[in-house]
C-alpha cells in the first residue's frame, strides 16, 4: 500500500500522485514493476524522521499491504486517486494456500474443512508478513477507490483503464519480471466443496460487495 509520484519532467503530468491499494494475491508485484516502467516512483513514509519503504513494517503490517485504517493514518492521500485490484475470494484463497501448506503441511487440508478450525488457523497465522493475505478485501478500499477485477486481466485494457483514472498514459509490459516471494510455491490446497463453502462463508462480505454472483443463501 503505497503512494506513487509521477517523475516525468513533462509539466502537464509532473508531480501527480496516487495511492496504489495493494491487496495481496491480486497481481500487485506485476503492477508495481509496470508503474516503475511508466515513470511512477514509490514514496516512502516518514515516521519519526526515518523513511520507511514498502517492505518495512509499521504496526506489525508490511507497508506494501496496508489496509484502509493504516494507509489513512500513515499515508498522505488527501485529494489523490486511489486504485485497487480485487480478486474472486475463492481463487485468491487457493493462490495463497501455498503459505498454509508451507507452514502446516498438506495435512492442513482436513482441518480447514472444519469452519471453526479454519477461522482459528487464519486468525492465528504465525507469519507476520502474510497476515494481510487473509484480511477481507473490503477492509482495503473506500467509497472513492477505483476498482478493477483481476479476472478482467492485467493487460492492455487494464493499462488503458489505469491511464484514464490517473490522467497519464499507461503502457503494460506483459513480460515484466518481478521478485518472487521467498515462500512462493506451485503446491496448493485441493478445491473441495467443503473448503469452498467455508471460504465463501468467511469472506462473504467480499463476495456480496464484489462478486454477488458467487453468493449463496446462508
Amino acid at each position: 500500500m503505497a503512494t506513487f509520484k509521477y517523475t516525468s519532467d513533462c509539466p502537464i503530468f509532473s508531480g501527480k500522485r496516487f495511492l496504489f491499494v495493494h491487496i495481496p494475491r491480486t497481481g500487485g508485484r506485476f503492477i508495481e514493476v509496470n508503474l516503475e516502467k511508466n515513470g511512477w516512483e514509490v514514496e516512502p513514509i516518514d515516521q519519526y524522521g526515518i523513511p520507511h519503504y514498502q517492505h518495512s513494517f509499521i504496526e506489525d503490517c508490511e507497508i506494501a499491504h496496508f489496509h484502509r485504517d493504516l494507509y489513512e493514518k500513515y499515508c498522505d492521500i488527501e485529494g489523490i486517486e486511489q486504485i485497487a485490484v480485487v480478486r474472486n475470494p475463492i481463487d485468491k484463497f487457493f493462490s495463497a494456500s501455498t503459505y498454509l501448506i508451507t507452514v502446516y503441511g498438506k495435512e492442513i487440508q482436513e482441518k480447514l474443512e472444519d469452519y471453526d478450525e479454519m477461522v482459528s488457523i487464519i486468525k492465528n497465522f504465525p507469519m507476520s508478513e502474510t497476515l494481510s493475505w487473509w484480511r477481507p478485501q473490503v477492509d482495503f478500499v473506500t467509497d472513492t477507490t477505483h476498482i478493477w477485477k483481476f479476472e478482467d486481466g492485467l493487460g492492455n485494457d487494464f493499462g488503458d483503464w489505469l491511464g484514464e483514472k490517473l490522467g497519464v498514459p499507461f503502457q503494460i509490459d506483459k513480460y515484466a519480471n518481478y521478485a518472487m516471494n521467498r515462500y512462493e510455491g506451485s503446491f496448493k490446497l485441493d478445491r473441495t466443496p467443503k473448503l469452498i463453502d467455508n471460504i465463501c462463508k468467511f469472506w462473504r462480505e467480499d463476495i456480496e460487495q464484489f462478486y454477488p454472483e458467487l453468493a449463496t443463501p446462508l
Side-chain angles (χ1 to χ4, degrees), residues 4-5 10 17 64 66 79 97-98 118 147 157 167-168 202 204 211-212 214:
F4 284 79
K5 185 175 183 178
C10 175
R17 301 173 63 247
F66 268 3
S97 68
T98 180
M118 187 190 84
I147 294 174
D157 288 345
V168 180
F202 188 83
R204 185 174 182 83
Y211 296 89
L214 298 177

Side-chain angles (χ1 to χ4, degrees), residues 134-147:
W134 318 111
R135 181 180 286 272
Q137 295 174 82
V138 295
D139 289 355
F140 289 85
V141 302
T142 71
D143 291 339
T144 61
T145 306
H146 301 297
I147 294 174

Side-chain angles (χ1 to χ4, degrees), residues 80-166:
I80 64 174
E81 302 294 344
Q82 300 179 24
I83 302 291
V85 175
V86 298
R87 187 175 184 179
N88 175 325
I90 298 170
D91 293 337
K92 183 175 179 293
F93 175 85
F94 283 106
S95 174
S97 68
T98 180
Y99 285 68
L100 290 162
I101 297 174
T102 297
V103 173
Y104 298 110
K106 186 69 174 178
E107 58 271 17
I108 195 65
Q109 176 88 38
E110 183 176 352
K111 292 183 178 180
L112 291 169
E113 293 185 4
D114 178 281
Y115 182 74
D116 291 335
E117 282 215 57
M118 187 190 84
V119 172
S120 178
I121 289 167
I122 292 301
K123 290 188 174 181
N124 295 285
F125 198 68
M127 294 162 53
S128 60
E129 64 264 41
T130 65
L131 290 179
S132 290
W133 289 35
W134 318 111
R135 181 180 286 272
Q137 295 174 82
V138 295
D139 289 355
F140 289 85
V141 302
T142 71
D143 291 339
T144 61
T145 306
H146 301 297
I147 294 174
W148 180 267
K149 290 189 175 181
F150 182 86
E151 293 74 25
D152 291 331
L154 299 178
N156 293 334
D157 288 345
F158 173 68
D160 292 343
W161 175 84
L162 195 56
E164 177 188 346
K165 298 304 180 186
L166 300 180

Side-chain angles (χ1 to χ4, degrees), residues 88-90 137-138 196 199-201 203-216:
N88 175 325
I90 298 170
Q137 295 174 82
V138 295
I196 290 174
I199 294 166
C200 291
K201 183 177 179 181
W203 285 282
R204 185 174 182 83
E205 195 172 356
D206 283 350
I207 288 173
E208 290 177 342
Q209 181 160 331
F210 304 122
Y211 296 89
E213 67 276 10
L214 298 177
T216 56

